[in-house]
Amino acid sequence: MSMNLGYLLSTGIFAALFLVMVGAQISAKRFHALLYWATIIATTTLGTTLADFADRSLGIGYAGGSSLLLALLLGSLWLWHRTLGTIAIVSVSSPRAEMFYWVTIMFSQTLGTALGDWTADSAGLGYLGAAVVFGSLLALVTAGYLWTRISRTALFWTAFILTRPLGAVVGDFLDKPTSAGGLDLSRISASAALLAVIVGCILIFPQRAARRAH
């Protein structure tokens, strides 16, 4: 938006970045925290422009875009499970499994962006209201992890999908004008602030590779 490139061209640019980062991640011989999270960010940026392209440029709206992206996400998970027999994170120990993993992550990021926009705008909850909704849902997932025997794989993917709409509405809250309920920070300032939080979390919280599947 700031560079007037449009959603389609921006999606192409971030798709190229996504492919480069995924290729680097898959070819890495050992776990590199910065590379891993840089690849996550690549899926987020691609997911954002792809969701905006589906919602706005294709003219199908937030509900239509969310439905389309949900179908793509479920299709990715189904094909992954049918091909390798599991979608558990601990099984991501081969290039083939990791490719499925990153494609699924990208679709979940895209769906999450569309859900965040729909909740904040079409549902009329605003950015803070939508943040409360998705934060509460994440708290329920945490409770499910701590106090139930619900599938850890199901909880992981549910949590991962929910982090994206939460991130989308928080990002909008930072850079949207005050008349729309935001803080009216510049997009550069908002991006820099969020990047600083990400780097801080990487440095504070321990990072490790996933366990190998047996």
Side-chain angles (χ1 to χ4, degrees), residues 43-55 60-77 102-120 134 157-169:
T43 67
T44 302
T45 51
L46 174 58
T48 298
T49 56
L50 187 57
D52 287 341
F53 177 74
D55 295 340
I60 59 178
Y62 293 132
S66 297
S67 299
L68 173 62
L69 296 167
L70 176 61
L72 291 172
L73 173 60
L74 294 177
S76 177
L77 288 169
W102 287 113
V103 170
T104 304
I105 289 291
M106 187 271 292
F107 281 139
S108 72
Q109 299 276 34
T110 308
L111 172 63
T113 299
L115 284 176
D117 290 341
W118 180 83
T119 305
F134 292 114
W157 286 113
T158 301
F160 199 98
I161 292 169
L162 289 173
T163 61
R164 182 56 196 144
L166 177 59
V169 295

Side-chain angles (χ1 to χ4, degrees), residues 19-184:
L19 292 174
V20 169
M21 297 306 300
V22 168
Q25 174 66 29
I26 292 176
S27 63
K29 301 302 182 182
R30 59 187 182 87
F31 178 74
H32 299 276
L34 291 179
L35 174 59
Y36 176 84
W37 288 106
T39 309
I40 288 288
I41 293 173
T43 67
T44 302
T45 51
L46 174 58
T48 298
T49 56
L50 187 57
D52 287 341
F53 177 74
D55 295 340
R56 301 169 186 174
S57 297
L58 294 182
I60 59 178
Y62 293 132
S66 297
S67 299
L68 173 62
L69 296 167
L70 176 61
L72 291 172
L73 173 60
L74 294 177
S76 177
L77 288 169
W78 176 83
L79 183 60
W80 181 1
H81 190 277
R82 183 173 179 83
T83 302
L84 299 181
T86 179
I87 57 173
I89 302 308
V90 294
S91 70
V92 183
S93 56
S94 69
R96 195 178 188 188
E98 194 164 359
M99 181 59 73
F100 276 115
Y101 172 78
W102 287 113
V103 170
T104 304
I105 289 291
M106 187 271 292
F107 281 139
S108 72
Q109 299 276 34
T110 308
L111 172 63
T113 299
L115 284 176
D117 290 341
W118 180 83
T119 305
D121 296 333
S122 299
L125 294 181
Y127 305 123
L128 290 180
V132 170
V133 168
F134 292 114
S136 299
L137 290 173
L138 278 169
L140 289 176
V141 174
T142 302
Y145 176 81
L146 294 173
W147 297 307
T148 75
R149 296 184 179 181
I150 296 174
S151 165
R152 276 18 187 178
T153 298
L155 289 174
F156 170 84
W157 286 113
T158 301
F160 199 98
I161 292 169
L162 289 173
T163 61
R164 182 56 196 144
L166 177 59
V169 295
V170 169
D172 285 340
F173 174 69
L174 292 176
D175 71 8
K176 296 300 183 184
T178 53
S179 59
L183 295 181
D184 203 19

